[in-house]
Coordinates of all heavy atoms in Angstrom, one line a residue:
M1 N -106.1 131.5 32.2 CA -106.1 130.1 32.0 C -104.7 129.6 31.9 O -103.9 130.2 31.1 CB -107.0 129.6 30.8 CG -106.7 128.2 30.4 SD -107.6 127.6 29.0 CE -108.2 128.9 28.1
K2 N -104.3 128.6 32.6 CA -103.0 128.0 32.5 C -103.0 126.9 31.4 O -103.9 126.1 31.4 CB -102.6 127.4 33.8 CG -102.3 128.3 34.9 CD -101.8 127.6 36.1 CE -101.5 128.6 37.2 NZ -101.2 127.9 38.5
V3 N -102.1 127.0 30.5 CA -102.0 126.0 29.5 C -100.7 125.2 29.8 O -99.6 125.7 29.9 CB -101.8 126.6 28.1 CG1 -101.6 125.5 27.0 CG2 -103.0 127.5 27.7
M4 N -101.0 123.9 30.2 CA -99.9 123.1 30.7 C -99.2 122.3 29.6 O -99.9 121.9 28.6 CB -100.5 122.1 31.7 CG -101.3 122.7 32.8 SD -100.3 124.0 33.7 CE -99.4 122.9 34.8
A5 N -97.9 122.2 29.7 CA -97.1 121.4 28.8 C -95.9 120.8 29.5 O -95.4 121.4 30.5 CB -96.7 122.2 27.6
K6 N -95.5 119.7 29.1 CA -94.3 119.1 29.7 C -93.1 119.6 28.9 O -93.1 119.5 27.6 CB -94.4 117.5 29.6 CG -95.4 117.0 30.5 CD -95.3 115.5 30.7 CE -96.4 115.1 31.6 NZ -96.1 113.9 32.4
K7 N -92.1 120.1 29.6 CA -90.9 120.5 29.0 C -89.7 120.0 29.7 O -89.7 119.8 30.9 CB -90.8 122.1 29.0 CG -91.8 122.7 28.1 CD -91.6 124.2 28.0 CE -92.6 124.8 27.0 NZ -92.3 126.2 26.8
E8 N -88.6 119.8 28.9 CA -87.3 119.3 29.5 C -86.6 120.6 29.9 O -86.5 121.5 29.2 CB -86.5 118.5 28.5 CG -86.6 117.1 28.7 CD -85.6 116.3 27.8 OE1 -84.4 116.7 27.8 OE2 -86.1 115.4 27.2
V9 N -86.0 120.6 31.1 CA -85.2 121.7 31.5 C -83.8 121.2 32.0 O -83.7 120.1 32.5 CB -85.8 122.5 32.7 CG1 -87.1 123.2 32.2 CG2 -86.1 121.7 33.9
D10 N -82.8 121.9 31.8 CA -81.5 121.6 32.3 C -81.4 122.0 33.8 O -81.8 123.1 34.1 CB -80.4 122.3 31.5 CG -80.3 121.7 30.1 OD1 -80.6 120.5 29.9 OD2 -79.8 122.4 29.2
V11 N -80.9 121.2 34.6 CA -80.7 121.5 36.0 C -79.2 121.2 36.4 O -78.6 120.4 35.7 CB -81.6 120.7 37.0 CG1 -83.0 121.1 36.7 CG2 -81.4 119.2 36.8
V12 N -78.7 121.9 37.3 CA -77.3 121.6 37.8 C -77.4 120.3 38.6 O -78.0 120.3 39.7 CB -76.8 122.8 38.6 CG1 -75.4 122.4 39.2 CG2 -76.7 124.1 37.8
A13 N -76.8 119.3 38.1 CA -76.8 118.0 38.8 C -75.6 117.9 39.8 O -75.7 117.2 40.8 CB -76.7 116.9 37.8
D14 N -74.6 118.6 39.6 CA -73.4 118.6 40.5 C -72.5 119.8 40.1 O -72.6 120.3 39.0 CB -72.6 117.3 40.3 CG -71.6 117.1 41.4 OD1 -71.6 117.8 42.4 OD2 -70.8 116.1 41.3
I15 N -71.7 120.1 41.0 CA -70.6 121.1 40.7 C -69.3 120.5 41.0 O -69.1 120.0 42.2 CB -70.8 122.4 41.5 CG1 -72.1 123.1 41.1 CG2 -69.7 123.3 41.4 CD1 -72.5 124.3 41.8
R16 N -68.5 120.3 40.0 CA -67.1 119.7 40.2 C -66.1 120.8 40.4 O -66.2 121.9 39.7 CB -66.8 118.8 39.0 CG -67.9 117.7 38.8 CD -67.4 116.7 37.8 NE -66.4 115.8 38.3 CZ -66.7 114.7 39.0 NH1 -68.0 114.5 39.3 NH2 -65.8 113.9 39.5
C17 N -65.1 120.5 41.2 CA -64.1 121.5 41.4 C -63.2 121.7 40.2 O -62.9 120.7 39.5 CB -63.2 121.0 42.6 SG -61.7 122.1 42.9
D18 N -63.0 123.0 39.8 CA -62.2 123.3 38.6 C -60.7 123.0 38.8 O -60.0 123.0 37.8 CB -62.4 124.7 38.2 CG -63.8 125.0 37.5 OD1 -64.1 124.2 36.6 OD2 -64.5 125.9 38.0
I19 N -60.3 122.7 40.0 CA -58.9 122.4 40.2 C -58.7 120.9 40.3 O -57.9 120.3 39.5 CB -58.4 123.0 41.6 CG1 -58.6 124.5 41.6 CG2 -56.9 122.6 41.8 CD1 -57.8 125.3 40.6
C20 N -59.4 120.2 41.2 CA -59.1 118.7 41.4 C -60.1 117.8 40.7 O -60.0 116.6 40.7 CB -59.0 118.4 42.9 SG -60.6 118.5 43.7
D21 N -61.2 118.4 40.1 CA -62.2 117.7 39.4 C -63.1 116.8 40.3 O -63.8 116.0 39.8 CB -61.6 116.9 38.2 CG -62.7 116.6 37.2 OD1 -63.6 117.5 36.9 OD2 -62.6 115.5 36.6
E22 N -63.0 117.0 41.6 CA -63.8 116.2 42.5 C -65.2 116.9 42.6 O -65.3 118.1 42.5 CB -63.2 116.1 43.9 CG -61.9 115.3 43.9 CD -62.2 113.8 43.7 OE1 -63.2 113.3 44.2 OE2 -61.4 113.2 43.0
S23 N -66.2 116.1 42.9 CA -67.5 116.6 43.2 C -67.5 117.4 44.5 O -66.8 117.1 45.4 CB -68.5 115.4 43.4 OG -69.8 115.9 43.9
T24 N -68.3 118.5 44.5 CA -68.4 119.3 45.7 C -69.5 118.9 46.6 O -69.8 119.5 47.6 CB -68.5 120.8 45.4 OG1 -69.7 121.0 44.6 CG2 -67.3 121.3 44.6
S25 N -70.3 117.8 46.1 CA -71.3 117.2 46.9 C -70.8 116.0 47.6 O -70.6 115.0 46.9 CB -72.5 116.9 46.1 OG -73.1 118.0 45.4
K26 N -70.5 116.1 48.9 CA -69.9 115.0 49.6 C -70.9 114.2 50.4 O -72.0 114.7 50.8 CB -68.8 115.5 50.5 CG -67.7 116.3 49.8 CD -66.8 115.4 49.0 CE -65.7 116.2 48.4 NZ -64.9 115.4 47.6
H27 N -70.6 113.0 50.8 CA -71.3 112.1 51.7 C -72.8 111.9 51.2 O -73.7 111.9 52.1 CB -71.3 112.7 53.1 CG -69.9 113.2 53.5 ND1 -68.9 112.3 53.7 CD2 -69.4 114.4 53.8 CE1 -67.8 113.0 54.0 NE2 -68.1 114.3 54.1
G28 N -73.0 111.8 49.9 CA -74.3 111.5 49.4 C -75.3 112.7 49.5 O -76.4 112.5 49.3
C29 N -74.8 113.8 50.0 CA -75.6 115.0 50.1 C -75.7 115.7 48.7 O -74.7 115.7 48.0 CB -75.0 115.9 51.1 SG -75.7 117.6 51.2
H30 N -76.9 116.2 48.4 CA -77.0 116.9 47.1 C -77.0 118.4 47.4 O -77.7 119.2 46.8 CB -78.3 116.5 46.4 CG -78.3 115.1 46.0 ND1 -77.5 114.6 45.0 CD2 -79.0 114.0 46.5 CE1 -77.7 113.3 44.9 NE2 -78.6 112.9 45.8
C31 N -76.1 118.8 48.3 CA -75.9 120.2 48.7 C -74.5 120.6 48.5 O -73.7 120.5 49.4 CB -76.4 120.5 50.1 SG -75.8 119.3 51.3
P32 N -74.1 120.9 47.2 CA -72.7 121.2 47.0 C -72.1 122.3 47.8 O -72.8 123.3 48.1 CB -72.7 121.6 45.5 CG -74.1 122.0 45.2 CD -75.0 121.2 46.1
Q33 N -70.9 122.1 48.3 CA -70.2 123.0 49.1 C -69.0 123.5 48.3 O -68.1 122.7 48.0 CB -69.7 122.4 50.4 CG -70.9 121.9 51.3 CD -71.7 123.1 51.8 OE1 -71.1 124.1 52.3 NE2 -73.0 123.0 51.7
F34 N -69.0 124.7 47.9 CA -67.9 125.2 47.0 C -67.7 126.7 47.2 O -68.6 127.4 47.7 CB -68.2 124.9 45.5 CG -69.5 125.6 45.1 CD1 -69.5 126.8 44.5 CD2 -70.7 125.0 45.2 CE1 -70.6 127.4 44.0 CE2 -71.9 125.6 44.8 CZ -71.8 126.8 44.2
G35 N -66.6 127.2 46.8 CA -66.3 128.6 46.7 C -66.2 129.0 45.3 O -65.9 128.2 44.4
T36 N -66.4 130.2 45.0 CA -66.3 130.7 43.6 C -65.2 131.8 43.5 O -65.0 132.6 44.5 CB -67.6 131.3 43.1 OG1 -68.1 132.3 43.9 CG2 -68.6 130.2 43.0
V37 N -64.6 131.9 42.4 CA -63.7 133.0 42.0 C -64.3 133.5 40.8 O -64.4 132.8 39.8 CB -62.2 132.5 41.8 CG1 -61.3 133.6 41.4 CG2 -61.7 131.8 43.1
Q38 N -64.6 134.8 40.8 CA -65.3 135.4 39.6 C -64.6 136.7 39.2 O -64.1 137.4 40.1 CB -66.7 135.7 39.9 CG -67.6 134.6 40.1 CD -69.1 135.0 40.4 OE1 -69.3 135.8 41.2 NE2 -70.0 134.4 39.7
A39 N -64.6 137.0 38.0 CA -64.1 138.3 37.5 C -64.9 138.6 36.2 O -65.2 137.7 35.4 CB -62.6 138.2 37.2
Q40 N -65.2 139.9 36.0 CA -65.8 140.4 34.8 C -65.1 141.7 34.5 O -65.3 142.7 35.2 CB -67.3 140.5 34.9 CG -68.0 140.9 33.6 CD -69.4 140.6 33.6 OE1 -70.0 140.1 34.6 NE2 -70.1 140.9 32.5
W41 N -64.3 141.7 33.5 CA -63.5 142.8 33.1 C -64.2 143.7 32.1 O -64.8 143.1 31.2 CB -62.1 142.4 32.6 CG -61.4 141.5 33.6 CD1 -61.3 140.2 33.6 CD2 -60.8 142.0 34.9 NE1 -60.7 139.7 34.8 CE2 -60.4 140.8 35.5 CE3 -60.7 143.2 35.5 CZ2 -59.7 140.9 36.8 CZ3 -60.0 143.3 36.7 CH2 -59.6 142.1 37.3
S42 N -64.1 144.9 32.2 CA -64.8 145.8 31.3 C -63.8 146.9 30.8 O -62.6 146.8 31.0 CB -66.0 146.4 32.0 OG -65.6 147.2 33.1
Y43 N -64.4 147.9 30.2 CA -63.7 149.0 29.5 C -62.6 149.6 30.5 O -62.9 149.9 31.6 CB -64.6 150.1 29.1 CG -63.9 151.2 28.4 CD1 -63.5 151.0 27.1 CD2 -63.7 152.4 29.0 CE1 -62.8 152.1 26.4 CE2 -63.0 153.5 28.3 CZ -62.6 153.3 27.0 OH -62.0 154.3 26.4
G44 N -61.4 149.7 30.0 CA -60.3 150.3 30.8 C -59.4 149.2 31.3 O -58.3 149.5 31.8
S45 N -59.8 148.0 31.2 CA -58.9 146.9 31.7 C -58.2 146.2 30.5 O -58.7 146.4 29.4 CB -59.7 145.8 32.5 OG -60.5 145.1 31.6
H46 N -57.2 145.5 30.8 CA -56.5 144.8 29.7 C -57.3 143.6 29.2 O -57.0 143.1 28.1 CB -55.1 144.3 30.2 CG -54.1 145.4 30.5 ND1 -53.6 146.2 29.5 CD2 -53.6 145.8 31.7 CE1 -52.8 147.1 30.1 NE2 -52.8 146.9 31.4
H47 N -58.3 143.2 30.0 CA -59.1 142.0 29.6 C -60.5 142.4 29.3 O -61.5 141.6 29.6 CB -59.0 140.9 30.7 CG -57.6 140.4 30.8 ND1 -57.2 139.3 30.1 CD2 -56.6 140.7 31.6 CE1 -56.0 139.0 30.4 NE2 -55.6 139.9 31.3
D48 N -60.7 143.6 28.8 CA -62.0 144.1 28.5 C -62.9 143.1 27.8 O -62.5 142.5 26.8 CB -61.9 145.4 27.6 CG -63.2 146.0 27.3 OD1 -64.2 145.7 27.9 OD2 -63.3 146.9 26.4
G49 N -64.1 142.8 28.3 CA -65.0 141.9 27.7 C -64.9 140.5 28.2 O -65.7 139.6 27.8
E50 N -63.9 140.2 28.9 CA -63.7 138.8 29.4 C -64.3 138.6 30.8 O -64.3 139.4 31.6 CB -62.2 138.5 29.5 CG -61.5 138.5 28.1 CD -60.0 138.1 28.2 OE1 -59.7 137.2 29.0 OE2 -59.2 138.8 27.5
A51 N -64.8 137.4 30.9 CA -65.4 137.0 32.2 C -64.9 135.6 32.6 O -64.6 134.8 31.8 CB -66.9 137.0 32.2
F52 N -64.7 135.5 33.9 CA -64.2 134.2 34.4 C -65.0 133.8 35.6 O -65.5 134.6 36.4 CB -62.7 134.4 34.9 CG -61.8 134.8 33.9 CD1 -61.7 136.1 33.5 CD2 -61.0 133.8 33.2 CE1 -60.8 136.5 32.5 CE2 -60.1 134.2 32.2 CZ -60.0 135.5 31.8
E53 N -65.2 132.4 35.8 CA -65.9 131.9 36.9 C -65.3 130.5 37.2 O -65.3 129.7 36.3 CB -67.4 131.8 36.7 CG -68.1 131.2 38.0 CD -69.6 131.2 37.8 OE1 -70.0 130.3 37.1 OE2 -70.2 132.1 38.3
L54 N -64.7 130.3 38.4 CA -64.2 129.1 38.8 C -64.9 128.6 40.0 O -65.3 129.4 40.9 CB -62.7 129.2 39.2 CG -61.8 129.7 38.1 CD1 -60.4 130.0 38.6 CD2 -61.7 128.6 37.0
H55 N -65.2 127.3 40.1 CA -65.8 126.7 41.3 C -64.7 125.8 41.9 O -64.1 125.0 41.3 CB -67.0 125.8 40.9 CG -68.1 126.6 40.3 ND1 -68.2 126.8 38.9 CD2 -69.1 127.3 40.8 CE1 -69.2 127.5 38.6 NE2 -69.8 127.8 39.8
L56 N -64.5 126.0 43.2 CA -63.5 125.3 43.9 C -64.1 124.5 45.1 O -64.9 125.1 45.9 CB -62.4 126.2 44.5 CG -61.4 126.7 43.4 CD1 -62.0 127.7 42.4 CD2 -60.2 127.4 44.2
C57 N -63.6 123.3 45.3 CA -64.0 122.5 46.5 C -63.4 123.2 47.7 O -62.5 124.1 47.6 CB -63.6 121.1 46.4 SG -61.8 120.8 46.6
E58 N -63.8 122.8 48.9 CA -63.4 123.5 50.1 C -61.8 123.4 50.3 O -61.2 124.4 50.6 CB -64.0 122.8 51.4 CG -63.7 123.5 52.7 CD -64.5 122.9 53.8 OE1 -65.0 121.8 53.7 OE2 -64.5 123.5 54.9
S59 N -61.3 122.2 50.0 CA -59.8 122.1 50.1 C -59.1 123.0 49.1 O -58.1 123.7 49.5 CB -59.5 120.6 49.9 OG -58.1 120.4 49.9
C60 N -59.5 122.9 47.9 CA -58.8 123.7 46.9 C -59.0 125.2 47.1 O -58.1 126.0 46.8 CB -59.2 123.3 45.5 SG -58.6 121.7 45.0
F61 N -60.2 125.6 47.6 CA -60.5 127.0 47.9 C -59.5 127.5 48.9 O -58.9 128.6 48.7 CB -61.9 127.2 48.4 CG -62.2 128.6 48.7 CD1 -62.6 129.6 47.8 CD2 -62.1 129.1 50.1 CE1 -62.8 130.9 48.1 CE2 -62.3 130.4 50.4 CZ -62.7 131.3 49.4
F62 N -59.3 126.8 50.0 CA -58.4 127.3 51.0 C -57.0 127.2 50.7 O -56.2 128.0 51.1 CB -58.8 126.6 52.4 CG -60.0 127.2 53.0 CD1 -61.2 126.6 52.9 CD2 -60.0 128.5 53.6 CE1 -62.4 127.1 53.4 CE2 -61.1 129.0 54.1 CZ -62.3 128.4 54.0
Q63 N -56.6 126.3 49.8 CA -55.2 126.3 49.2 C -55.0 127.5 48.4 O -54.0 128.2 48.4 CB -55.0 125.0 48.4 CG -53.6 124.9 47.9 CD -52.5 124.9 49.0 OE1 -52.5 124.1 49.9 NE2 -51.6 125.9 48.9
A64 N -56.0 127.8 47.5 CA -55.9 129.0 46.7 C -55.9 130.3 47.5 O -55.1 131.2 47.2 CB -57.1 129.1 45.7
L65 N -56.6 130.3 48.6 CA -56.6 131.5 49.5 C -55.2 131.6 50.2 O -54.7 132.7 50.3 CB -57.7 131.3 50.6 CG -58.0 132.5 51.5 CD1 -58.6 133.7 50.6 CD2 -59.0 132.1 52.6
A66 N -54.7 130.5 50.6 CA -53.3 130.5 51.2 C -52.3 131.0 50.1 O -51.4 131.8 50.5 CB -52.9 129.1 51.7
N67 N -52.5 130.6 48.9 CA -51.6 131.1 47.8 C -51.7 132.6 47.6 O -50.7 133.3 47.4 CB -51.8 130.3 46.5 CG -51.5 128.9 46.6 OD1 -50.8 128.4 47.5 ND2 -52.0 128.1 45.6
L68 N -52.9 133.1 47.6 CA -53.1 134.5 47.5 C -52.5 135.3 48.7 O -52.0 136.4 48.5 CB -54.6 134.8 47.3 CG -55.2 134.4 46.0 CD1 -56.7 134.5 46.0 CD2 -54.7 135.2 44.9
Q69 N -52.7 134.7 49.9 CA -52.1 135.4 51.0 C -50.6 135.4 50.9 O -50.0 136.4 51.3 CB -52.5 134.6 52.3 CG -53.9 134.9 52.7 CD -54.3 134.1 53.9 OE1 -54.2 132.8 53.9 NE2 -54.8 134.7 55.0
E70 N -50.0 134.4 50.4 CA -48.6 134.3 50.2 C -48.1 135.4 49.1 O -47.1 136.0 49.3 CB -48.1 132.9 49.8 CG -46.6 132.8 49.6 CD -45.8 133.1 50.9 OE1 -46.3 133.1 52.0 OE2 -44.6 133.4 50.7
Q71 N -48.9 135.5 48.1 CA -48.6 136.5 47.1 C -48.7 137.9 47.7 O -47.9 138.8 47.4 CB -49.6 136.4 45.9 CG -49.4 137.4 44.8 CD -50.3 137.2 43.6 OE1 -51.1 136.3 43.6 NE2 -50.3 138.1 42.7
R72 N -49.7 138.1 48.5 CA -49.9 139.4 49.2 C -48.7 139.7 50.0 O -48.2 140.8 50.0 CB -51.2 139.4 50.0 CG -51.4 140.6 50.8 CD -52.7 140.5 51.6 NE -53.0 141.8 52.3 CZ -52.5 142.0 53.6 NH1 -51.8 141.0 54.2 NH2 -52.8 143.1 54.2
R73 N -48.2 138.7 50.8 CA -47.1 138.9 51.7 C -45.8 139.3 50.8 O -45.1 140.2 51.1 CB -46.8 137.6 52.4 CG -45.7 137.7 53.5 CD -45.3 136.4 54.1 NE -44.7 135.5 53.2 CZ -43.4 135.5 52.9 NH1 -42.6 136.5 53.4 NH2 -42.9 134.7 52.0
G74 N -45.6 138.5 49.7 CA -44.5 138.8 48.8 C -44.6 140.2 48.2 O -43.5 140.9 48.0
T75 N -45.8 140.6 47.9 CA -46.0 141.9 47.2 C -45.7 143.1 48.2 O -45.1 144.1 47.8 CB -47.4 142.0 46.6 OG1 -47.6 141.0 45.7 CG2 -47.7 143.4 46.0
L76 N -46.2 142.9 49.4 CA -46.2 144.0 50.4 C -44.9 144.1 51.2 O -44.6 145.1 51.8 CB -47.4 144.0 51.3 CG -48.8 144.2 50.6 CD1 -49.9 144.1 51.6 CD2 -48.8 145.6 49.9
M77 N -44.2 142.9 51.3 CA -43.1 142.8 52.2 C -42.1 143.9 52.1 O -41.6 144.5 53.1 CB -42.4 141.5 52.0 CG -41.2 141.3 53.0 SD -40.5 139.7 52.7 CE -41.7 138.6 53.3
F78 N -41.8 144.3 50.8 CA -40.7 145.3 50.6 C -41.3 146.7 50.1 O -40.6 147.5 49.7 CB -39.7 144.8 49.7 CG -39.0 143.6 50.2 CD1 -39.2 142.4 49.6 CD2 -38.1 143.7 51.3 CE1 -38.6 141.2 50.1 CE2 -37.5 142.5 51.8 CZ -37.8 141.3 51.2
S79 N -42.7 146.8 50.3 CA -43.3 148.0 49.8 C -43.2 149.1 51.0 O -42.9 148.7 52.1 CB -44.7 147.8 49.4 OG -45.5 147.6 50.6
E80 N -43.6 150.3 50.6 CA -43.6 151.3 51.6 C -44.7 151.1 52.7 O -44.5 151.4 53.8 CB -43.8 152.7 51.0 CG -42.7 153.2 50.2 CD -42.9 154.6 49.6 OE1 -43.9 155.2 50.0 OE2 -42.1 154.9 48.7
R81 N -45.8 150.4 52.3 CA -46.9 150.1 53.2 C -46.5 149.1 54.2 O -47.0 149.0 55.3 CB -48.1 149.6 52.4 CG -48.8 150.7 51.6 CD -50.0 150.2 51.0 NE -51.0 149.7 52.0 CZ -52.0 148.9 51.8 NH1 -52.2 148.6 50.5 NH2 -52.8 148.5 52.7
G82 N -45.6 148.2 53.8 CA -45.1 147.1 54.7 C -46.2 146.0 54.7 O -47.3 146.1 54.1
Y83 N -45.8 144.9 55.3 CA -46.7 143.8 55.4 C -47.2 143.5 56.8 O -46.5 143.4 57.7 CB -46.0 142.5 54.9 CG -46.8 141.2 55.1 CD1 -47.9 141.0 54.4 CD2 -46.4 140.3 56.1 CE1 -48.6 139.8 54.6 CE2 -47.1 139.2 56.3 CZ -48.2 138.9 55.6 OH -49.0 137.8 55.8
E84 N -48.5 143.4 56.9 CA -49.2 143.0 58.2 C -50.0 141.8 57.9 O -50.9 141.9 57.0 CB -50.1 144.2 58.7 CG -49.4 145.4 59.2 CD -48.7 145.1 60.6 OE1 -49.3 144.3 61.3 OE2 -47.7 145.8 60.9
P85 N -49.8 140.7 58.6 CA -50.6 139.5 58.3 C -52.1 139.9 58.6 O -52.4 140.6 59.5 CB -50.1 138.5 59.4 CG -48.8 139.0 59.8 CD -48.8 140.5 59.6
N86 N -53.0 139.3 57.8 CA -54.4 139.5 58.0 C -55.1 138.2 58.1 O -55.4 137.5 57.1 CB -55.0 140.3 56.8 CG -56.5 140.6 56.9 OD1 -57.1 140.1 57.9 ND2 -57.0 141.2 55.9
P87 N -55.4 137.7 59.3 CA -56.0 136.4 59.5 C -57.4 136.3 58.9 O -57.9 135.2 58.7 CB -56.0 136.2 61.0 CG -55.9 137.6 61.6 CD -55.2 138.4 60.6
D88 N -58.0 137.4 58.6 CA -59.4 137.5 58.0 C -59.3 137.8 56.6 O -60.3 138.3 56.0 CB -60.3 138.5 58.8 CG -60.6 138.0 60.2 OD1 -60.8 136.8 60.4 OD2 -60.5 138.9 61.1
F89 N -58.2 137.6 55.9 CA -58.0 137.9 54.5 C -59.2 137.3 53.7 O -59.4 136.1 53.6 CB -56.7 137.3 54.0 CG -56.4 137.5 52.6 CD1 -56.1 138.8 52.1 CD2 -56.3 136.5 51.7 CE1 -55.8 139.0 50.8 CE2 -56.0 136.7 50.4 CZ -55.8 137.9 49.9
G90 N -60.0 138.1 53.1 CA -61.1 137.7 52.2 C -62.4 137.3 52.9 O -63.4 137.2 52.3
R91 N -62.3 137.2 54.2 CA -63.5 136.7 55.0 C -64.5 137.9 55.1 O -64.1 139.0 55.5 CB -63.1 136.2 56.3 CG -64.3 135.6 57.1 CD -64.0 135.4 58.6 NE -62.7 134.8 58.8 CZ -62.4 133.5 59.1 NH1 -63.4 132.7 59.1 NH2 -61.2 133.1 59.3
V92 N -65.7 137.7 54.8 CA -66.7 138.7 55.0 C -67.8 138.3 56.1 O -68.7 139.1 56.4 CB -67.4 139.1 53.7 CG1 -66.4 139.8 52.8 CG2 -68.1 137.9 53.1
Q93 N -67.7 137.0 56.5 CA -68.7 136.6 57.5 C -68.1 135.4 58.3 O -67.3 134.6 57.7 CB -70.0 136.1 56.8 CG -71.0 135.6 57.7 CD -72.3 135.2 56.9 OE1 -72.4 135.5 55.8 NE2 -73.1 134.4 57.5
G94 N -68.5 135.3 59.5 CA -68.2 134.1 60.3 C -67.1 134.3 61.3 O -66.5 135.4 61.5
D95 N -66.8 133.2 62.1 CA -65.7 133.2 63.1 C -66.0 134.1 64.2 O -65.1 134.5 65.0 CB -64.4 133.5 62.5 CG -63.2 132.9 63.3 OD1 -63.4 131.9 64.0 OD2 -62.2 133.5 63.4
D96 N -67.3 134.4 64.5 CA -67.7 135.2 65.6 C -67.0 136.5 65.9 O -67.0 137.1 66.9 CB -67.6 134.3 66.9 CG -68.5 133.1 66.9 OD1 -69.6 133.2 66.4 OD2 -68.0 132.1 67.4
Q97 N -66.4 137.0 64.8 CA -65.8 138.3 64.9 C -66.5 139.3 64.0 O -66.9 138.9 62.9 CB -64.3 138.3 64.5 CG -63.5 137.5 65.4 CD -62.0 137.4 64.9 OE1 -61.7 138.1 64.0 NE2 -61.2 136.7 65.6
E98 N -66.7 140.5 64.5 CA -67.3 141.5 63.6 C -66.3 142.0 62.6 O -65.2 142.5 63.0 CB -67.9 142.7 64.5 CG -68.7 143.6 63.6 CD -69.5 144.6 64.5 OE1 -70.0 144.2 65.5 OE2 -69.6 145.7 64.1
L99 N -66.6 141.9 61.4 CA -65.7 142.3 60.3 C -66.2 143.6 59.7 O -67.3 143.8 59.6 CB -65.6 141.2 59.3 CG -65.2 139.8 59.8 CD1 -65.4 138.7 58.8 CD2 -63.8 139.8 60.3
V100 N -65.2 144.3 59.3 CA -65.5 145.6 58.7 C -65.2 145.6 57.2 O -64.5 144.7 56.7 CB -64.8 146.8 59.3 CG1 -65.3 147.0 60.7 CG2 -63.3 146.5 59.4
Ligands
ZN201 ZN1 -60.7 120.7 44.5

């Protein structure tokens, strides 16, 4: 038998960008478009027990991605491995190319 009761529940009403504080639901659509940056550090790391989660709008996500690519370029430029541009940096799906 089901015993019915009315309960209040919290729902995600919107996701705001952690960089620019804009809503990620544009044009009256209730379908937020955002990217996430997540980390959960555990034993052996300097940040053991810390977890992070950022939500970024499309514009801020791709600016952050560009910043990371620039950091990668600066890190590898003078290393023994050398620097090779990677146009698919971080991409795991899309753009009609098979990614590995
Ligand atoms: Zn933003």
Side-chain angles (χ1 to χ4, degrees):
M1 166 183 14
K2 291 181 181 176
V3 178
M4 307 303 280
K6 291 190 181 211
K7 292 189 176 186
E8 260 186 50
V9 295
D10 290 333
V11 297
V12 176
D14 192 11
I15 294 178
R16 303 189 76 82
C17 177
D18 285 308
I19 302 295
C20 70
D21 200 36
E22 292 291 322
S23 170
T24 62
S25 298
K26 301 286 184 186
H27 315 297
C29 171
H30 296 291
C31 47
Q33 298 292 312
F34 60 93
T36 56
V37 177
Q38 292 181 312
Q40 186 159 0
W41 302 103
S42 59
Y43 182 74
S45 73
H46 292 293
H47 295 272
D48 183 13
E50 295 181 39
F52 298 84
E53 181 177 77
L54 299 170
H55 297 92
L56 282 70
C57 72
E58 186 174 15
S59 174
C60 290
F61 176 84
F62 283 100
Q63 181 61 55
L65 192 63
N67 293 343
L68 289 170
Q69 285 177 304
E70 182 60 22
Q71 181 179 352
R72 178 178 180 272
R73 186 184 70 79
T75 299
L76 295 178
M77 181 180 290
F78 300 109
S79 74
E80 290 182 15
R81 290 185 57 198
Y83 170 71
E84 289 285 334
N86 180 0
D88 292 319
F89 180 68
R91 186 194 317 262
V92 293
Q93 181 180 342
D95 203 32
D96 296 324
Q97 295 177 4
E98 188 168 321
L99 302 171
V100 291

